[in-house]
Amino acid sequence: MSVVNFIDNYKRDVQFYIKWLLRKDLRIEMSRNKTLKNVHKGKRCFIVGNGPSLKHHDLSKLTNEPVFTVNNMMMTDYFKILNPNFHLFFDPNFLDFFFNQNPQNEDEKNKMQSIRKSLELNSKLIYFTLYRKKSTFTKLFPSLKSHYLFNNKMFTSSLKKTSTLHRNTPAFQNVIIYAINIALYMGFDEIYLLGVDMTGFLEHYEFNTINDKWGHVYNKSEEDQEKLNKFRIENNIDNEFCLKNFGKTFQQFKEIQNNVLSKKAKLFNASAHGALDMIPRVDYEKIFSNEDDV
């Protein structure tokens, strides 16, 4: 880590501690996060992304496994099959686009309703999102069990204490990296990624009806696609921007893998397909083969 980045992160930590001292609510939320430390020590878990490779796996095998899901997964039929223990809302586009306090159309109303009904599926389901989104999140979903992360640090290769959720954590490029970080904090030492294809850049690079399969396992509604297209235009998100950001994301996957190894934990990619080549691949079916023989 360069001297400039070190100084910058030091300043960000100072800013966090000042806010921690001044805001009782922040102290309470960080204290709540601390209750999660090592609660699943020595166990394995599965972090399920939204990639199209999920179509090639028998997700019912995860029925009795600790499962993390992310973002739009809860609006799909896969969510009921997975019945996750943890769900993350971290992509800013998701929070800004899909949570309207005053839903304007049926699509938005259905999204809101599916989230509110999630507790009927699993009353112990825990949500994670950004602390700065807490006010909006609690207004929309006051009955959900939620934990909030304060993320205002730069993630660099020499930043080892990334999984201290009761302090200032890094701002990661991808929701899956947040999930890995949370899993480490909770003590999971064998982490499997599934449906983390990292092929969404192909969707951005040349979006059309042919390569839409590269984006997600679910189909976007016309309303969602219109919002995303408008957002890209307004913020000058072109092909170059998308490819550079995916490059940063792949680099962060390498760095979080190093953090996993430093904690003597293991991280595997169990997805049948996809572009995430820096995480060691394992055969999804073989994870359960020995158990099935018992």
Coordinates of all heavy atoms in Angstrom, one line a residue, residues 204-241:
H204 N -22.9 -5.3 -20.4 CA -22.7 -3.9 -20.5 C -22.0 -3.6 -21.8 O -22.3 -2.6 -22.5 CB -21.9 -3.4 -19.3 CG -22.6 -3.4 -18.0 ND1 -23.5 -2.5 -17.7 CD2 -22.5 -4.2 -17.0 CE1 -24.0 -2.7 -16.5 NE2 -23.4 -3.8 -16.1
Y205 N -21.1 -4.5 -22.2 CA -20.2 -4.2 -23.3 C -21.0 -4.1 -24.6 O -20.8 -3.3 -25.5 CB -19.2 -5.3 -23.5 CG -18.2 -5.1 -24.5 CD1 -17.2 -4.1 -24.4 CD2 -18.2 -5.9 -25.7 CE1 -16.2 -3.9 -25.4 CE2 -17.3 -5.7 -26.7 CZ -16.3 -4.7 -26.5 OH -15.4 -4.5 -27.5
E206 N -22.0 -5.0 -24.7 CA -22.8 -5.0 -25.9 C -24.2 -5.6 -25.6 O -24.4 -6.8 -25.8 CB -22.2 -5.8 -27.1 CG -23.0 -5.7 -28.4 CD -22.4 -6.6 -29.5 OE1 -21.4 -7.2 -29.2 OE2 -23.0 -6.6 -30.6
F207 N -25.1 -4.8 -25.0 CA -26.3 -5.3 -24.5 C -27.3 -5.6 -25.7 O -27.6 -4.7 -26.5 CB -27.0 -4.4 -23.5 CG -28.3 -4.9 -23.0 CD1 -28.3 -5.8 -21.9 CD2 -29.5 -4.6 -23.6 CE1 -29.4 -6.3 -21.4 CE2 -30.7 -5.2 -23.1 CZ -30.6 -6.0 -22.0
N208 N -27.7 -6.8 -25.8 CA -28.8 -7.1 -26.7 C -29.5 -8.4 -26.3 O -29.1 -9.0 -25.2 CB -28.2 -7.3 -28.1 CG -27.1 -8.3 -28.2 OD1 -27.3 -9.4 -27.7 ND2 -26.0 -7.9 -28.8
T209 N -30.5 -8.9 -27.0 CA -31.2 -10.0 -26.6 C -30.4 -11.3 -26.6 O -30.8 -12.3 -26.0 CB -32.5 -10.2 -27.5 OG1 -32.1 -10.2 -28.8 CG2 -33.4 -9.0 -27.3
I210 N -29.3 -11.3 -27.4 CA -28.6 -12.5 -27.5 C -27.7 -12.7 -26.3 O -27.7 -13.8 -25.7 CB -27.7 -12.5 -28.8 CG1 -28.6 -12.4 -30.0 CG2 -26.7 -13.7 -28.8 CD1 -27.8 -12.3 -31.3
N211 N -26.9 -11.7 -25.9 CA -26.0 -11.9 -24.8 C -26.5 -11.5 -23.4 O -25.8 -11.4 -22.5 CB -24.6 -11.3 -25.1 CG -24.7 -9.8 -25.1 OD1 -25.6 -9.2 -24.6 ND2 -23.7 -9.2 -25.8
D212 N -27.8 -11.2 -23.3 CA -28.4 -10.9 -22.1 C -28.2 -12.1 -21.1 O -28.2 -11.9 -19.9 CB -29.9 -10.7 -22.2 CG -30.6 -10.2 -20.9 OD1 -29.9 -9.5 -20.2 OD2 -31.7 -10.6 -20.7
K213 N -28.0 -13.3 -21.6 CA -27.8 -14.4 -20.7 C -26.5 -14.3 -19.9 O -26.3 -15.0 -18.9 CB -27.6 -15.7 -21.6 CG -26.4 -15.7 -22.5 CD -26.4 -17.0 -23.3 CE -25.1 -17.0 -24.2 NZ -25.1 -18.1 -25.1
W214 N -25.6 -13.4 -20.3 CA -24.4 -13.2 -19.5 C -24.6 -12.4 -18.2 O -23.8 -12.4 -17.3 CB -23.3 -12.4 -20.4 CG -22.9 -13.2 -21.6 CD1 -23.1 -12.8 -22.9 CD2 -22.2 -14.4 -21.7 NE1 -22.6 -13.7 -23.8 CE2 -22.0 -14.7 -23.0 CE3 -21.7 -15.3 -20.7 CZ2 -21.4 -15.9 -23.5 CZ3 -21.1 -16.4 -21.2 CH2 -20.9 -16.7 -22.5
G215 N -25.7 -11.7 -18.1 CA -25.9 -10.8 -17.0 C -26.3 -11.6 -15.7 O -25.5 -11.8 -14.8
H216 N -27.6 -12.0 -15.6 CA -28.1 -12.6 -14.4 C -29.0 -13.8 -14.7 O -29.4 -14.0 -15.9 CB -28.9 -11.6 -13.6 CG -28.1 -10.4 -13.1 ND1 -28.1 -9.3 -13.9 CD2 -27.4 -10.2 -12.0 CE1 -27.3 -8.4 -13.2 NE2 -26.9 -8.9 -12.1
V217 N -29.2 -14.6 -13.7 CA -30.0 -15.8 -13.9 C -31.5 -15.5 -14.1 O -32.2 -16.2 -14.7 CB -29.8 -16.8 -12.7 CG1 -30.5 -16.2 -11.4 CG2 -30.4 -18.2 -13.0
Y218 N -31.9 -14.3 -13.7 CA -33.2 -13.8 -13.8 C -33.3 -12.8 -14.9 O -32.3 -12.2 -15.4 CB -33.7 -13.2 -12.5 CG -32.8 -12.1 -12.0 CD1 -32.8 -10.8 -12.5 CD2 -31.9 -12.4 -11.0 CE1 -32.0 -9.8 -12.0 CE2 -31.0 -11.5 -10.5 CZ -31.1 -10.2 -11.0 OH -30.2 -9.2 -10.5
N219 N -34.5 -12.5 -15.4 CA -34.7 -11.5 -16.5 C -35.1 -10.2 -15.8 O -35.8 -10.2 -14.8 CB -35.8 -12.0 -17.4 CG -35.5 -13.2 -18.2 OD1 -34.3 -13.3 -18.6 ND2 -36.4 -14.1 -18.4
K220 N -34.6 -9.1 -16.4 CA -34.9 -7.8 -15.9 C -36.3 -7.4 -16.4 O -36.6 -7.7 -17.6 CB -33.9 -6.8 -16.3 CG -32.5 -7.0 -15.6 CD -31.6 -5.8 -16.0 CE -30.2 -6.0 -15.5 NZ -29.5 -7.1 -16.2
S221 N -37.0 -6.7 -15.6 CA -38.3 -6.1 -16.2 C -37.9 -5.0 -17.1 O -36.8 -4.4 -17.1 CB -39.2 -5.6 -15.0 OG -38.5 -4.5 -14.4
E222 N -38.9 -4.6 -17.9 CA -38.6 -3.5 -18.8 C -38.4 -2.2 -18.0 O -37.6 -1.4 -18.4 CB -39.9 -3.3 -19.8 CG -40.0 -4.4 -20.8 CD -41.2 -4.1 -21.7 OE1 -41.7 -3.0 -21.7 OE2 -41.5 -5.0 -22.5
E223 N -39.1 -2.0 -16.9 CA -38.9 -0.8 -16.1 C -37.5 -0.8 -15.5 O -36.8 0.3 -15.6 CB -39.9 -0.8 -14.9 CG -41.4 -0.6 -15.3 CD -42.0 -1.9 -15.7 OE1 -41.4 -2.9 -15.8 OE2 -43.3 -1.9 -16.0
D224 N -37.0 -1.9 -15.0 CA -35.6 -2.0 -14.5 C -34.6 -1.7 -15.6 O -33.6 -0.9 -15.4 CB -35.3 -3.3 -13.9 CG -36.1 -3.5 -12.6 OD1 -36.6 -2.6 -12.1 OD2 -36.0 -4.7 -12.1
Q225 N -34.8 -2.2 -16.8 CA -33.8 -2.0 -17.8 C -33.8 -0.6 -18.3 O -32.8 0.0 -18.6 CB -34.1 -2.9 -19.0 CG -33.0 -3.0 -20.1 CD -31.7 -3.4 -19.5 OE1 -31.6 -4.5 -18.9 NE2 -30.7 -2.6 -19.7
E226 N -35.0 0.0 -18.3 CA -35.1 1.5 -18.7 C -34.4 2.3 -17.7 O -33.6 3.3 -18.0 CB -36.5 1.9 -18.8 CG -37.2 1.3 -20.1 CD -38.7 1.7 -20.1 OE1 -39.1 2.5 -19.2 OE2 -39.4 1.3 -21.0
K227 N -34.5 2.0 -16.4 CA -33.8 2.8 -15.3 C -32.3 2.6 -15.4 O -31.6 3.6 -15.3 CB -34.3 2.3 -14.0 CG -35.7 2.7 -13.6 CD -36.1 2.1 -12.2 CE -37.5 2.5 -11.8 NZ -37.9 1.9 -10.5
L228 N -31.9 1.4 -15.7 CA -30.4 1.2 -15.8 C -29.8 1.9 -17.0 O -28.8 2.5 -17.0 CB -30.1 -0.3 -15.9 CG -30.3 -1.1 -14.6 CD1 -30.3 -2.6 -14.8 CD2 -29.3 -0.7 -13.5
N229 N -30.5 1.8 -18.1 CA -30.1 2.5 -19.3 C -30.0 4.0 -19.1 O -29.0 4.7 -19.6 CB -31.0 2.2 -20.5 CG -30.9 0.7 -21.0 OD1 -29.9 0.1 -20.7 ND2 -31.9 0.3 -21.7
K230 N -31.0 4.6 -18.5 CA -31.0 6.0 -18.2 C -29.9 6.4 -17.3 O -29.2 7.4 -17.5 CB -32.3 6.4 -17.5 CG -32.5 7.9 -17.3 CD -33.8 8.2 -16.6 CE -33.9 9.7 -16.3 NZ -35.2 10.0 -15.7
F231 N -29.6 5.5 -16.3 CA -28.5 5.8 -15.3 C -27.2 5.8 -16.0 O -26.3 6.6 -15.8 CB -28.6 4.7 -14.2 CG -27.5 4.8 -13.2 CD1 -27.6 5.7 -12.2 CD2 -26.3 4.0 -13.3 CE1 -26.6 5.9 -11.2 CE2 -25.3 4.2 -12.4 CZ -25.4 5.1 -11.3
R232 N -27.0 4.8 -16.9 CA -25.7 4.7 -17.7 C -25.5 6.0 -18.5 O -24.4 6.5 -18.6 CB -25.7 3.5 -18.6 CG -25.7 2.2 -17.8 CD -25.9 1.0 -18.7 NE -26.1 -0.3 -18.0 CZ -26.7 -1.3 -18.5 NH1 -27.1 -1.4 -19.8 NH2 -26.8 -2.4 -17.8
I233 N -26.5 6.4 -19.2 CA -26.4 7.6 -20.0 C -26.1 8.8 -19.2 O -25.2 9.6 -19.5 CB -27.7 7.8 -20.9 CG1 -27.9 6.7 -21.9 CG2 -27.7 9.1 -21.6 CD1 -29.2 6.6 -22.6
E234 N -26.9 9.0 -18.1 CA -26.7 10.2 -17.3 C -25.3 10.3 -16.6 O -24.8 11.4 -16.3 CB -27.8 10.3 -16.2 CG -29.2 10.5 -16.8 CD -30.3 10.5 -15.7 OE1 -30.0 10.0 -14.6 OE2 -31.4 11.0 -16.0
N235 N -24.7 9.1 -16.3 CA -23.5 9.1 -15.6 C -22.3 8.7 -16.5 O -21.2 8.3 -16.0 CB -23.6 8.1 -14.5 CG -24.5 8.6 -13.4 OD1 -24.1 9.3 -12.5 ND2 -25.8 8.1 -13.4
N236 N -22.5 8.7 -17.8 CA -21.5 8.4 -18.8 C -20.8 7.1 -18.6 O -19.6 6.9 -18.6 CB -20.4 9.5 -18.8 CG -20.9 10.9 -19.2 OD1 -21.7 11.0 -20.2 ND2 -20.6 11.9 -18.4
I237 N -21.6 6.1 -18.3 CA -21.1 4.7 -18.0 C -21.0 4.0 -19.4 O -22.0 3.4 -19.8 CB -22.0 4.0 -17.0 CG1 -22.0 4.7 -15.7 CG2 -21.5 2.5 -16.9 CD1 -22.8 4.1 -14.6
D238 N -19.9 4.1 -20.0 CA -19.7 3.5 -21.3 C -18.9 2.2 -21.2 O -18.6 1.7 -20.0 CB -19.0 4.4 -22.3 CG -17.7 4.9 -21.7 OD1 -17.2 4.4 -20.7 OD2 -17.1 5.9 -22.3
N239 N -18.5 1.5 -22.3 CA -17.8 0.3 -22.3 C -16.5 0.4 -21.5 O -16.1 -0.5 -20.7 CB -17.6 -0.2 -23.7 CG -18.9 -0.5 -24.4 OD1 -19.9 -0.8 -23.8 ND2 -18.9 -0.5 -25.7
E240 N -15.8 1.5 -21.8 CA -14.5 1.6 -21.1 C -14.6 1.7 -19.6 O -13.9 1.0 -18.8 CB -13.8 2.9 -21.6 CG -12.4 3.2 -21.0 CD -11.8 4.5 -21.4 OE1 -12.5 5.3 -22.1 OE2 -10.7 4.7 -21.0
F241 N -15.6 2.4 -19.1 CA -15.9 2.5 -17.7 C -16.2 1.2 -17.1 O -15.6 0.8 -16.0 CB -17.0 3.5 -17.4 CG -17.4 3.6 -16.0 CD1 -16.9 4.6 -15.2 CD2 -18.4 2.8 -15.4 CE1 -17.2 4.7 -13.9 CE2 -18.8 2.9 -14.1 CZ -18.2 3.9 -13.3

